[in-house]
Structures are given as C-alpha cells and as structure tokens.
Amino acid sequence: MKQSIISFLILCIPLWAIGQQTSISGKVQDHTTQEALAYVTITVQDNTSKTIASGVTDDHGVFNLEGILTHPATISFSYTGYQNYVQPLEIIAGKSKIELGTINLITDAVQLKTVEVNGQKSNISLKLDKKVFEVGKDVLSQNGSAHDVLNGVPSVAVSPAGAISLRGNSNVLVLINGRQSGLTQNNALDQIAADQIERIEVITNPSSRYDAAGSAGIINIILKKNKKSGFSGQVRLVAGSPNDSRLNPSINYKSNKINIFSNFSIRSSDYEGLYTTNQSTNTNSSPNYMDRKQNEDRHDDGKLLYLGADYFINEHQTITAAFLKNATHDNDKTDLFYNYRNNPNNTEPDSLLIRHGKSLEKRDYSQFEFNYTRTFIQKAKKWTIDVQYDWWNSDKKWNLSTQRLLPEALIYPGIRTRSTGNSKDFLAKSDFIQPIDSTAILEFGIKTEIRKVSSDYLAEEQQNNNWIIYQDIDNDLNYNETITGAYAQFSDKINAFNYMLGLRTEFTDISIKDLKNTYNDEKNYNKLFPTVNLSYKFDASTLQLNYSKRIRRPSLYALYPFNEVTDLNAQYIGNPDLNPSYTDAFEMAFLKTWQTFTLNPSVYYQYEKGYIQDFTYRQDDIFLTTPINIDYEIRSGVELSTLYNPYKWLQINAEMNYYHFKQKGNYMGENLDYSSKNFTGRLSSQIKLPSKFSFQGRYNFRSAKRNAQTTNQALQSIDFGLSKLLLKDKATIVFDVTNAFNLRQNKSITTGDDYVIKENSIPNAARYRLSLVYRFNLTDPRVIRQANSANRD
C-alpha cells in the first residue's frame, strides 16, 4: 500500500519539476534598426543560477539551444553595447520545443561606458566551420593596428615585416568582412586602427563557401558596424619612438535609410634594422671568410581613405558601395660593410668594402566594391551579389654606390635599378542561401576573378657618363590569371549534432610571358575541393571534427624571376616554374567553458603535396635563394588555448602549439628530406588597476625551427602596455612597448656542401608609443524618432 501511494505521488509530480530535454530557438536583433545581431551570448539557468545551456547567435542572429530544463528557468541575452535582457521560460510537460520568436535588444550608453572600464574578456566560441574571437579592450590592441590585434589571437602571429602566419604556416588567406580587400594588400592592415575591429574568425578548415586558397586556412577580420543613429565616430592620435606618428579619424552617420561609414589614416613611421652575417666558404680547398653588417633606416609615409555607404532600399533589400585608396611612399637607406678574410683568426681584414644604398618607392592601390543583399520573409534565406574592381601601380628606384677601402682604395661604378608594376583585378560572385526546413540549409554560389599584372625591371651600371645594362637585367614580365569557381553545400541538425557537407570546384588558367621570351608558360588546372564540418554540442561545451582540401597558389613575388642586386653576396630570385601545392587538412577541436575558465584544445593533421619552400645554392660566388616545389610535407600537432578570469580585475591567457613535420624532396641533386618538431607559446596577462588604469603584458616564444638547409634558433619577445580612461570614458590614453629589450632576434644557420652561413636579423628595434583615442556620438533626437518609426516588421 505504501509503495502504491509513493508511485501515485510520483505520477502526480509535473514533468517540468523532474526535467525534460527541451530545445529553445529564436532570433536576436537590434530594437531600433531591426538588424540581426550575430554572436550574442545566450545563457539558460535554473532557480539556483546553475547554467543549463549556453551558446551564441549565428551570422543571422538565430539561436538554437538544447538542455534538460526544470521549472523555474530563465534565459538571458548579453551583448556589448546593449542592455542585458532576461525572461522566464514557460516549460510545459510533453512540449520539447520552445520558440521565443524575435528578441529585441536595446542599446545602452551606460553599459557601453562600463564595457570600456571592465571589458577585458575576449569571448571564444566554436561555430560549425570556424573559431570566433571577440576582440576585447586589451591594452596592447587599443594602441596598435590590426597587426597588434592579430598578434593576440591564438595560433596567429605577425612578423615584424607584416607577414601573417597561422600555426607557423604563412600561406594563409586574409579576408575583411568575409571578402577579399585592398585592406590586406601592401601592409595596409597596419593602417587599420585596432579598435575598429569587432572580432577575428580563425577558419583552419573552411567550408566550401570560401575560396580554396590558403593551405593554412583563412583569417577573417570583421570590422565594427555603426549601430548608433545620427553621427558618431572617433579620432585616434599616436606618437612613438622610433618615429611612429598616426592620425586616424573615422566618422559615421546612420538613419533608417542610409548608413555612411568612413575611415581615414595618415601614417609616418621609421624602422631601424640591423642584420649581421658570418660566412665561411671552401673553394678548391681554400677557406674564405666574410663578415657582413647591414644597418637599415626605413621611412614610410602612408595615406588611407575608406569611404562607403549602405542604402536600405526596403525591409529586405540593401545596397552597399565603398571605395578604398591606399597610397604609400617609402624612403629607405641601407649601409653594408663587408669584411673578407682568408684566416678566421685574423683580426685585420684582407679586404674591406662599403656599399651605400638609397631606395625610393611609391605605391598606389585603389579598390571599388559593390554588394547587393536580398533577404526574404523566410528566415535565413538570402541572396547576395558582390562585384569588386581594384588596380594598383608601383615604382621603385634603387641607387647603389660601392667603394673598397682595403687593400687599396677603389671606387666601383655606380648601380641603379628601377622596378615598375601595375595590376588590374576584377572579381564577381553570387551566393544564395535556401533554408529547406527549420534546421536544414542549402547554399550554393559562383565566382570568377580575372587578374592582369605587368612588371618591368631594369638594372644599370655607370660607365663614365653613360649607363649600360647590368648583368643583362632588363625585362618585362606579364602575368595573367583567371579563376572560376562554383560550390554547393548542405547543412542540417539532428538534436545536438550539426553537420555541413560541401563541394567546391575551381578552374585556374595562368599565363606567364616576358619581353625576351625567356619565360613563356601557360598552366591550367581544375580541382575538386570537398569539405566536411561536424559538430556536437553538450551543455556547456562543443566538439568539432573538420576536413577540407586546400590549394596554395604561388605568390607573384615567388614567380617573378627578377633578382635584387642590393647585396653583393646574396640575391633572391623568383621561380616562374613553380606549381601550386594541395593540402588535405583534418582537425578535431573541443571547447569547454566554466564560470571563470575556458579550455580549447585541438589536434590536427595536414598533408601538403608539392610543398613550396626556399632553396639556397651558390653560383659564381653569389648565394642565390629561390622558391621550389618538393614532394610533400606532413604536419601533425596539438594546440591548446586557455582563458582564466579568477577575479574581475585579472585575466590570464595562455596558448601553445606543438607540431611535428616531415618533408621529402630533392633539388639540384641535394636531398631535402627532413623531419623536426616545433613549439610555439604565448602568455598574456591583463590587470585592472584603480582609477581606471589597466596593465597588460605579453610573452611570445617560438622554439628552434629547422628544415634540410636552415636552422632558425629559438625566438622570443615581450610586449607590455598601460592604459587609462579619461573624460567620462569617452577617451583612452595608452602607453605601450613592443619588442621590449630588443629580444626579437631571428638567428639562423644555413649549411651546404662547401659553405656555412650564420645570420642574425633584427628588422625592428624596440618601439615606444603613446596614443589618445576620443570617441563621440552626436545623436540627433529626430533621427532616433525616424529610426524607431521605420517599417522593419
């Protein structure tokens, strides 16, 4: 009888009191503009404030969470610059789905100020085909450029010369707002203010909607959108030593029909470089030794204008047009000292030469971009058309003077070189997203890109009062490239399991011709690039498994067969015969979030056929370096990034990447088979201090790096900064130091059958900067009323 009563009471307990598996879905948008908000943080909690489920909205503002819910439960929405929104969840027994409809978030100026003070946390989330890093208000990012932001993103590194690498691989495709852009060309990223960036997407295994280029993957930089009605903007001033002077104003205007955005940058920078070489050669059993020291004084002036507008035709149609102009003028000076000896123990040189070089280079890059976006009543359905046309011109002049001091004084004939180039690039693409049902989506698109490049290079030597061609260097190279692609992909969800399957095809046609008909080559290749993206979501964690096939096309710099003659001892020559390499990439990633700790480990494997690397050899007592294809490279590794917030005033980020690679190939009779292990690490800590001060320090480390010819010794660097909020949080002043104590020195040893070359490169000296950012928002109340009354239903 007692058991029957207990059973009866249990049956009388509502199911919501025990808990049931429930899915919660909806969409989040801006209350005023009705614009979908991506990456809004969503949290479901029970009556004890225990997190039951969490996640973020997708690119269309849509969310879908799952968890075992008990009554009562609440769901909260939080997003930088908006008021937090909380509502209770109505749990009905037997009802496994809760549709919340559209959630409208309201901007909150007070919260914006709070974020400026406390917003240190950089949120990390795993999407189906990418890893997303929300850019926080870390000190080192506030003062710098896009390069400084990227240097703080796990797995990403930026060299002193501006080369971007992902997991130690420099073949990475960089996009702006999901598109190719002139902002990624000619080091223009160094002119984008860090605080213009909203988030960074690291896509190590891109889905088929993205170009197949980039064997390492894709880095997508998402710039901030203007979400405030009326006029808003900011002005940024930077001063540094060595000279780093910048003025970066940006002004925006937004109403219910138009959004005008602009960014202007003026930059004047100096770079101090020091390069030393110790070389020993053995020719005919007679050893020779050479010590070289090179001092560089580089000065760059740059102006960048980015102006555009979004026009909202109606509720479902938007047109965007923008124009970019980036002009730079470089004035570089270099002094080289050569000390030749026959005996390593001699303190006095047998021969001593000095070469002075002066370079003037002008580059002019322009780009026009157009986008048409059409949305539909059906949620997530979208059609876009993108057209882009860019063109650039460059003109570089080198003047070299050389004299011998020992054994007797002698002035050599002067040498001058001139390199001129221009390019025209047209791109058109269209993408369509078609939802099949509430979870299944079909995407497809087409793209074509046509590029035409011309480069003219001439080297001359002075003979009396005349100039004659030097080393037969006088040529004009024309490069034409056409890439046509199409893709289709399907994604769906089964409970907590998400999957995306895609297939992309790209046909490439290349033509390389020169004036002397030395190079006359045409290549075309067509490949299929499959992609698989799998994801499983737990209560507060996500597991991913991804595969993609990628292509690495040789860069124009690697193809040009023109050699710079600045150095008497070494030259770099491009290789027009380079072929593309193909990569099969596999990765498994996991993301787990606790209240104060985030853990993100991943393992990966990459097989790259036709791997491209540099090869050094001797010819006529000159060391020549050229890129070549080898058979393959296999790279496998484990990566770990963590974020720890034990207190509101302390944040600690730590990351590491350990990988093993194996290379196989030979060139010019030399065996290039090699295998090695590499390790990179980064530790960053930020501390919030009283009186609205913040301090951040960052330590970077890279272990020794080797291949069959060259060993690069371990590399390390330290950066730190201090910031303070002023004028009711409308202004920020920041002082930072990069490459403190000049630790960033790249030391390498290159060996051959009859030579050993030891080099130490310090491209940039330690830099000290002071910056001031002032933000303003001149909102017209009439504009607010107009925006609120707009038809956005």
Side-chain angles (χ1 to χ4, degrees), residues 34-50:
Q34 309 296 295
E35 179 183 9
L37 298 178
Y39 305 104
V40 175
T41 301
I42 307 166
T43 306
V44 179
Q45 295 181 325
D46 60 15
N47 60 346
T48 65
S49 297
K50 177 184 176 181

Side-chain angles (χ1 to χ4, degrees), residues 112 114 145 229 302 386 426 510 513 702 786:
L112 282 176
T114 303
S145 64
S229 299
D386 289 279
F426 173 80
I510 293 175
K513 297 180 181 179
R702 188 207 71 196
Q786 182 183 18

